[in-house]
Each structure stands twice: as structure tokens, then as C-alpha cells.
Amino acid sequence: MSIQIFEVEISVSASSVARGSTVGCVSIGEGNSGAWVEDTAPDGAAPGGIFGRGYRTITVGICALIVLSAFEALAVTTVMPTISTALNGASLYALAFAGPLAAGVVGMVLAGNWSDRGGPRGSLYASVVLFVAGLAVVGTAHSMAVFLAGRLVEGLGAGALTVALYVVVARAYPPALHPQIFAAFAASWVVPSLVGPVVAGLIAQTLGWRWVFLGVIGLVAIALAMVIPAMVRLRGSAEGAAVPWNVGRIGWSLLAAAAVLAVNLLADAKGWLLWIGPAAAAAIALLALRPLLPRHTLTADAGLPSVILSRGLAAGAFFGADVYIPYLLTVRYGFPPLAAGLSVTASGLTWAGGSWLQSHLGVRLSHVRSIQFGALALSTAIVAACATAVLVLPPAVAIAGWAVAGFGMGLMYPRTSVATLEYSSVEKQGFNSSALGIADAIGASISLAATAIVFSALAGLGGPWPFAGCFALTTLPAVAALVLARRIGQSQ
């Protein structure tokens, strides 16, 4: 199972340009404290865009980092059965997926705090080192326990990398270039979505599964080398230097990560523990989550709290249902695995398309409307999947519906991202960016555990009901995100 939680396929609308001040032909964005100043046009745009003078190398470098991170997130799904057999690790199979997700929460908090203290440079370097170290441990592991340890380190680095790159964009690019660079991030997930599993399978069959991980290390080093020159010019902000290490928040992130792991592990429990165990672990996760998010997020206060909460709800709805679409096509319609994966490919392509569309519409499509349309599309798609299961509709209904879901996510995710930046002062960019990623991880993880419980509980009924139960459950957070969208545009 592959969960694209840590992707940063976000685009920023042209409205963010208004946050910068233009003096002559030089634009200095409010969110760019600590960045260098580039020559720009009167409207704040830079000649040549993100591939123009001064931006080409860093653009290619950070997009390459995202491509490689995306490839690893997708490729591991293909090779995990082989790894489990080779390392006798069937009992730890689920942890190989849940572990990096949980560790990523800790990485996000650490990177956010570090970036707020002195800029994203140090946290970016550290996240890449951790990511590479994790790949090295995984690729050389001779036991499932060591493999799992490497996956935890890899997840820690991947989570931190997401936040670090987010802050790099906020400070290194003028606001007029945000739509282009974040749309490029979206495109950076398309190719891995299409060819990642196939390439991983070929590598595993020809060179061995270890090279799926070890082969990426050199490519990561090249990508980082392209980013370093730009990072040398990127200074930490004066405001950020005054931000202390928040040891308490880091401790809460560790508790949240442990609770996330427990929720997923207990989803396979039996009897009364199947219901009480995950519920207790989820309650602990939500308790630990409060200090990691902006105040009043869980009560959906207007402005930034609703932005963060809607992101978590959207992640829970989409990823909770996403894993059951191919399963439905395989079990109920007899699709082979490759054909069943068409739904995932379709949603990945339309996700990028939705992201591109909303970035080009800019201020003509408000944040609220973009999120409302996206949540409506997601809700409709999940209902279509449920109807397909219950009424035995043609499988094309579910596949087309999930393409609509991807388009809706492409509309929603970018606007929650830009809204987070717009509501963030320089000294809060790291914290709020990490909160956005944490909402992703927690929302998706809890939803996946909840759907696993429902599927197990209804399995005895047979027929379409296990699938119908999962789709019905994930409709709830999608509808909640739709209702919550109006509060995103209200004053805090």
C-alpha cells in the first residue's frame, strides 16, 4: 500500500503576490525573509520563471528530490511481498508501511521547529542525510527488524524533507513564482505514479530488491548538490533566530507517532480489543495532536485552524477509500492487479490536472470555492464507488469516479497549502507547514485503521457490504471538509 501523504503537490494562487511589496523592478515577498532578491518584472514575476536566471538549478534540484521521494513511496509497495518472503517478516509487514508514516510526524515537527529557528537550510540537509541513511539501512538489511528500523529512519527523513522544502519555497522564491514551482511539485509525482511500481518490479527481478533502495542514494546526492549553491545564499530570518527548541512539542510528536502505530497495529486485533484498542489509541493520538497544531484546530475555528483541519479530513477521506478501489475491482470484478491499478493511475493524473487548473485560474477561483468544488468532487466519487459495490454497476463507474476524486484533491490540496502560507508569519512558517503535514499523516492513518476495522467487521456478511461500509465511512470526512470550507475564508 502506498500513501502519498508527504507529497507537496501544491500550487499557490496569484493572490499571494499581493503579500509582497514591489519597488521599481524588485519584488520582496513578505514570506521571503532570508531569501535573496532577484530582478523581477513590475508584476513581481521573474524573467524565465522558475527556470530563469538564479532559479534553474534549485528548481531542478528540489523537484528531483520530490521525484525520488515519490518513487520510494510508490516502489516499496511493489517489492514488499518479495522482501517479506526474503527476510521472513510477514508478522512485521504492516509496520513497514505504518512505521515511516508515524516517524514522519516526528520529522515534520523537528524540521518545522528547526526552520523557524534559523531558516530551512539546516533542516533540509539533515532530512536528506536521514533519508539516505534509511535507504542504506533498508538496502543492506538481513533481517526484518533491521529493515523496519531503516524504514523508520527513512520516514523520519521524508517527513522532515517535506516541511523543509515547503519553507525553502516560501523564502527562496518570490510570491509571483509560487504557482509555477508548486505546480512543478505536482508534476513531480506524476511520472513516479505511472512508472514507479513497474521500474521497481524490473529492478527487483533483474538486480534484486535491495537496489530499489540503494540505487536511489546516488541520485539523491546529485539532487542535493544542485540545491546547495542556492542554500548557501539563503539566510535564516532574524525573527526565526529567536525561536527556541520546543522540547515539549517534540515529546508530543513522539507520543502521537506511537499512537498512530498502535492504531494501525490494533486494527488487526480480535474480539473486544478490535474496537476498544484502536479507539483508545486514536484518542491518545488526538490528545497528542493538539500541541502540534495551531490553537483551536480541532474545534474548527475560522481561518488557519479550519485550513489545517480540512486538510486532515480530505486526506482521511481520499486515502481511506483509495486502498479499497483496486481491491474492489480485483475481488468483485476479477481485474488482474495491473488493470486494477488503473484507478490509481487515473487519480494521479487528474490530481495533477486539478492542481494545474486551479493554479492557472488564480484569483478567479477563490480558496473557498476551490476547496468546496474539490470536496464535492471527492464526496461524489466515494458515493459512486459505494454505489458500484452495492448495485454491481459497471466497473468503469468506480474508475471514472476515482479520476474525479483525484481532480477534486488537485483542487483542494493546493489551496489549503497556499492558505497556510498566507496565514503564516515568517517565524511560524515551519510550525504551520509541519502542522499541515501532520494533519495529512494523522488523518490518513486513523482513516485507514478505521476502514480496516469496518472491513473486518463486515467481512462475515460477504458480498458488497465490507466495501460499502468502508466507502460510507470515508464519505463522512469528505462531507465535513465541504461544510468546513466556508470557514477557511473567514477572519480569525
Side-chain angles (χ1 to χ4, degrees):
M1 177 180 60
S2 142
I3 306 175
Q4 299 171 338
I5 298 300
F6 302 123
E7 60 188 307
V8 202
E9 68 318 274
I10 46 183
S11 296
V12 181
S13 73
S15 64
S16 61
V17 177
R19 300 179 66 242
S21 57
T22 304
V23 182
C25 292
V26 176
S27 174
I28 307 175
E30 179 187 2
N32 294 341
S33 178
W36 63 89
V37 179
E38 296 286 345
D39 292 338
T40 60
D43 64 354
I50 59 175
F51 293 103
R53 182 177 62 86
Y55 294 105
R56 183 182 302 111
T57 302
I58 185 176
T59 295
V60 174
I62 60 179
C63 286
L65 288 173
I66 292 176
V67 167
L68 295 171
S69 178
F71 172 79
E72 284 302 315
L74 295 163
V76 70
T77 305
T78 302
V79 298
M80 266 311 298
T82 302
I83 296 170
S84 179
T85 300
L87 300 181
N88 297 317
S91 62
L92 296 176
Y93 190 93
L95 272 178
F97 295 103
L101 186 64
V105 172
V106 181
M108 291 172 196
V109 172
L110 289 171
N113 200 168
W114 195 344
S115 296
D116 285 339
R117 281 178 55 81
R121 184 169 58 185
S123 60
L124 176 64
Y125 294 160
S127 65
V128 172
V129 169
L130 285 170
F131 184 64
V132 168
L135 291 175
V137 172
V138 166
T140 57
H142 289 281
S143 70
M144 195 64 177
V146 175
F147 179 87
L148 179 58
R151 287 284 288 162
L152 291 174
V153 176
E154 182 186 346
L156 184 67
L161 179 63
T162 296
V163 173
L165 288 178
Y166 202 107
V167 181
V168 165
V169 168
R171 300 189 184 184
Y173 291 82
L177 292 184
H178 285 176
Q180 296 181 40
I181 184 59
F182 284 129
F185 281 13
S188 297
W189 270 86
V190 174
V191 174
S193 297
L194 292 174
V195 304
V198 175
V199 171
L202 290 175
I203 293 175
Q205 290 179 16
T206 56
L207 301 176
W209 65 264
R210 298 181 185 278
W211 286 102
V212 173
F213 304 96
L214 297 177
V216 172
I217 293 177
L219 298 176
V220 172
I222 294 173
L224 180 62
M226 300 179 73
V227 175
I228 287 177
M231 291 297 97
V232 170
R233 295 190 288 173
L234 194 62
R235 303 181 303 274
S237 65
E239 297 92 339
V243 176
W245 282 109
N246 194 321
V247 178
R249 187 173 293 141
I250 295 171
W252 283 113
S253 73
L254 290 168
L255 179 60
V260 167
L261 284 175
V263 170
N264 284 271
L265 286 173
L266 292 170
D268 294 326
K270 304 297 182 182
W272 63 270
L273 189 60
L274 173 64
W275 300 100
I276 296 179
I284 294 174
L286 292 176
L287 176 66
L289 194 61
R290 292 186 62 187
L292 307 179
L293 305 177
R295 294 184 62 187
H296 308 302
T297 294
L298 298 182
T299 55
D301 275 19
L304 181 61
S306 289
V307 173
I308 301 295
L309 183 57
S310 66
R311 178 70 165 249
L313 291 169
F318 181 84
F319 294 109
D322 185 56
V323 298
Y324 291 99
I325 299 293
Y327 195 12
L328 172 68
L329 297 175
T330 301
V331 173
R332 300 289 293 169
Y333 292 93
F335 276 41
L338 182 59
L342 287 174
S343 62
V344 178
T345 300
S347 65
L349 290 173
T350 54
W351 188 320
S355 179
W356 175 88
L357 176 62
Q358 64 79 38
S359 71
H360 280 70
L361 288 175
V363 295
R364 288 174 291 174
L365 181 66
S366 69
H367 297 339
V368 172
R369 289 298 185 191
S370 187
I371 294 170
Q372 284 178 331
F373 291 151
L376 179 60
L378 179 59
S379 302
T380 302
I382 298 176
V383 170
C386 187
T388 301
V390 175
L391 303 177
V392 197
L393 299 177
V397 174
I399 295 174
W402 211 238
V404 172
F407 184 79
M409 292 294 281
L411 291 176
M412 293 178 67
Y413 258 44
R415 295 312 179 95
T416 57
S417 301
V418 62
T420 297
L421 286 182
E422 289 183 353
Y423 280 127
S424 301
S425 59
V426 172
E427 63 273 15
K428 285 290 187 180
Q429 287 172 344
F431 172 71
N432 291 339
S433 296
S434 69
L436 201 64
I438 289 168
D440 261 348
I442 299 295
S445 180
I446 291 178
S447 179
L448 286 167
T451 52
I453 292 172
V454 169
F455 193 91
S456 177
L458 298 179
L461 298 178
W465 303 115
F467 295 101
C470 292
F471 293 138
L473 179 63
T474 52
T475 301
L476 299 179
V479 173
L482 175 61
V483 173
L484 196 61
R486 300 185 93 184
R487 297 183 61 77
I488 289 173
Q490 297 174 4
S491 59
Q492 301 185 79

